Amino acid sequence: GNPPIDFTGYEQYLTNGYFTFSNSDVFTSTASHLFSYPLLEGQEFILTSGLSDELCESIPPVSEEFDAPVLGKLPNGEWLVWSPSILLEDNGPSINAPANDIASATLEDGGGAAVILTNEKLKCANVPRTFVNEDTCVLSTLSTACKASELLSVDVEMSTENVKK
């Protein structure tokens, strides 16, 4: 398991501050199999009651490798360290969806909002329409929708053969 951490008496050196939780904050203690290593019960906590603290504004929306750790202190004096995790988004047909709703699991903007939020560190998740995805490919009208990185310029000769009535 993870070794316990204890910053008691050293709080003044935590320059980014830390969350102080009360008995009214509700955590679920879970065990998971992240990275193929089973965790023991009590090694992973999920705050189910939500959190509204001014300190939340200082946490970047995307965690970088050398960002300062996000710490919290429980009422019993135990310390927690937040570990960011990856949230995988569905972006394609679901085999469990009814036939009339097969495109319900697609990202409406092709992941464009995530691209903007991460300052282009994440990339678009959309693909061009092909014969393989023509039944589930949808056109987005959202302003955040991913677009082709290059605009194609095509000259079309205006002739009787090219223009049909």
Side-chain angles (χ1 to χ4, degrees):
N2 293 322
I5 57 170
D6 189 358
F7 294 104
T8 306
Y10 297 94
E11 291 90 349
Q12 71 271 19
Y13 300 110
L14 301 176
T15 57
N16 292 337
Y18 59 91
F19 292 97
T20 304
F21 298 106
S22 68
N23 288 322
S24 62
D25 293 310
V26 180
F27 284 90
T28 299
S29 177
T30 66
S32 70
H33 294 276
L34 294 173
F35 312 112
S36 301
Y37 297 107
L39 295 174
L40 302 173
E41 184 74 28
Q43 293 285 314
E44 188 173 288
F45 291 86
I46 298 174
L47 179 64
T48 59
S49 62
L51 184 62
S52 59
D53 189 302
E54 289 180 18
L55 193 56
C56 293
E57 298 300 320
S58 68
I59 299 174
V62 178
S63 180
E64 298 287 332
E65 184 177 2
F66 297 106
D67 284 350
V70 178
L71 303 170
K73 189 173 185 180
L74 296 175
N76 66 1
E78 287 184 89
W79 288 84
L80 302 175
V81 179
W82 174 67
S83 299
S85 58
I86 296 173
L87 175 63
L88 298 176
E89 299 280 356
D90 287 332
N91 189 27
S94 171
I95 59 171
N96 298 319
N100 64 345
D101 201 20
I102 199 164
S104 64
T106 57
L107 296 173
E108 284 187 86
D109 65 355
V115 172
I116 294 166
L117 179 67
T118 63
N119 200 19
E120 297 185 7
K121 290 187 180 182
L122 291 179
K123 303 300 178 199
C124 288
N126 56 355
V127 296
R129 182 184 297 260
T130 66
F131 71 93
V132 176
N133 66 6
E134 66 185 353
D135 293 335
T136 59
C137 191
V138 292
L139 177 65
S140 176
T141 57
L142 297 176
S143 62
T144 57
C146 289
K147 299 167 186 63
S149 58
E150 296 178 21
L151 293 177
L152 299 176
S153 177
V154 177
D155 292 329
V156 177
E157 181 184 338
M158 300 301 286
S159 68
T160 313
E161 291 178 23
N162 289 341
V163 180
K164 300 202 182 216
K165 293 182 182 181

